């Protein structure tokens, strides 16, 4: 993929802590962030290796010494180490997060007009509720300087600002103007692919008030 950068390339010293952990609740921008990181590393000739964990070494830290490692921390067993960095991606709106996760499990073929489908959604949300709460508590409520939490909506609404914050957190010290130009000139635009129907959100808020 060819990306045009108008301003002069900057050089940044990159000394990653191995691995740089990218933790996320499913369906909160992990794959989008992975693609952007890969392109940025490629454009700037920075060594890049991304561990998918579940389809790679299935261990943490990555045995192949990857620069970044994906993890959903499903069993909440990941220990936060002081010599590693942790980017946490999530959606602040719990119901939007859980519905997006359910939608993904159905390959976007859900039909909430079907009463059984809607009941399955409610059951799914209740089953995953404690996982969401625990993950948010573990990372968002943690004041450690080696944790950066990014809300999915912020990534969509302020992509340049958010990505600049991410790469600086990981030790890539580029100016905001350079990053902004990179984001603007990417072929793939950062945008929401699926919008949750407002009427569905209102209904879920009422029916799942016990987990909010």
């Amino acid at each position: 993929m060819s990306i045009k950068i108008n301003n002069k390339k900057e050089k940044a010293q990159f000394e990653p802590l191995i691995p740089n952990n990218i933790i996320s609740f499913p369906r909160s921008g992990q794959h989008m962030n992975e693609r952007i990181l890969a392109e940025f590393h490629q454009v700037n000739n920075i060594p890049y290796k991304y561990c998918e964990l579940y389809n790679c070494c299935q261990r943490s830290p990555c045995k192949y010494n990857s620069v970044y490692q994906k993890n959903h921390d499903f069993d909440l067993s990941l220990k936060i180490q002081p010599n590693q960095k942790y980017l946490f991606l999530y959606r602040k709106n719990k119901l939007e997060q859980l519905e997006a996760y359910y939608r993904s499990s159905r390959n976007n073929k859900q039909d909430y007009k079907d009463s059984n489908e809607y009941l399955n959604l409610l059951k799914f949300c209740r089953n995953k509720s404690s996982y969401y709460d625990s993950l948010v508590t573990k990372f968002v409520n943690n004041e450690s300087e080696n944790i950066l939490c990014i809300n999915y909506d912020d990534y969509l609404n302020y992509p340049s600002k958010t990505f600049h914050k991410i790469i600086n957190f990981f030790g890539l010290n580029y100016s905001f103007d350079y990053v902004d130009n990179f984001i603007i000139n990417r072929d793939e635009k950062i945008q929401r692919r699926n919008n949750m129907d407002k009427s569905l959100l209102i209904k879920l808020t009422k029916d799942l008030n016990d987990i909010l």
Side-chain angles (χ1 to χ4, degrees):
M1 179 179 295
S2 176
I3 300 174
K4 295 181 179 179
I5 302 294
N6 295 327
N7 53 316
K8 186 178 179 181
K9 277 191 177 182
E10 297 182 3
K11 293 183 179 180
Q13 186 175 6
F14 186 50
E15 298 178 354
L17 294 171
I18 305 298
N20 286 314
N21 301 277
I22 303 181
I23 317 301
S24 67
F25 195 97
R27 307 310 302 165
S28 56
Q30 174 82 249
H31 292 146
M32 176 184 73
N33 183 65
E34 178 186 351
R35 292 192 298 272
I36 300 172
L37 276 173
E39 290 177 27
F40 192 82
H41 277 250
Q42 179 183 11
V43 167
N44 294 286
N45 297 314
I46 304 170
Y48 178 83
K49 193 171 185 180
Y50 191 95
C51 173
E52 291 281 352
L53 182 63
Y54 309 105
N55 297 319
C56 181
C57 57
Q58 299 185 14
R59 56 170 286 184
S60 180
C62 177
K63 68 179 181 180
Y64 301 117
N65 206 33
S66 295
V67 178
Y68 302 103
Q69 183 173 44
K70 169 184 178 178
N71 198 327
H72 290 310
D73 199 13
F74 286 119
D75 59 3
L76 303 170
S77 64
L78 181 68
K79 293 182 179 180
I80 299 175
Q81 305 291 346
N83 66 330
Q84 296 180 18
K85 291 191 175 183
Y86 301 83
L87 170 64
F88 178 57
L89 306 171
Y90 76 114
R91 302 188 193 212
K92 281 187 177 180
N93 188 303
K94 182 178 181 178
L95 294 182
E96 288 186 357
Q97 180 73 89
L98 295 174
E99 189 277 330
Y101 189 11
Y102 176 78
R103 190 178 347 112
S104 174
S105 72
R106 295 281 287 110
N107 296 316
N108 294 315
K109 296 179 180 179
Q110 72 289 340
D111 179 11
Y112 297 135
K113 294 180 181 180
D114 184 318
S115 59
N116 289 326
E117 180 86 81
Y118 183 71
L119 289 175
N120 286 335
L121 170 62
L122 295 181
K123 182 179 179 180
F124 181 92
C125 290
R126 287 197 169 91
N127 286 340
K128 302 300 181 182
S129 174
S130 61
Y131 166 50
Y132 175 88
D133 292 341
S134 297
L135 209 57
V136 168
T137 298
K138 182 174 182 177
F139 290 98
V140 178
N141 297 344
N142 193 316
E143 297 182 354
S144 174
E145 293 183 354
N146 62 330
I147 296 176
L148 174 64
C149 299
I150 296 295
N151 175 29
Y152 180 64
D153 285 334
D154 289 340
Y155 215 149
L156 297 179
N157 296 327
Y158 313 103
S160 296
K161 179 181 178 180
T162 302
F163 187 66
H164 183 244
K165 184 184 296 185
I166 290 172
I167 63 169
N168 273 271
F169 175 70
F170 283 143
L172 291 165
N173 299 312
Y174 286 79
S175 69
F176 173 78
D177 288 342
Y178 183 80
V179 172
D180 187 41
N181 196 44
F182 163 77
I183 292 294
I184 290 173
N185 284 282
R186 290 182 69 241
D187 292 337
E188 178 193 15
K189 301 306 178 184
I190 299 176
Q191 59 187 358
R192 190 184 300 274
R193 294 184 176 181
N194 296 285
N195 287 313
M196 184 178 180
D197 186 79
K198 290 184 178 180
S199 62
L200 175 61
L201 180 58
I202 293 173
K203 184 173 176 60
L204 286 176
T205 301
K206 178 180 178 181
D207 293 338
L208 294 173
N209 183 61
D210 55 304
I211 67 170
L212 298 179

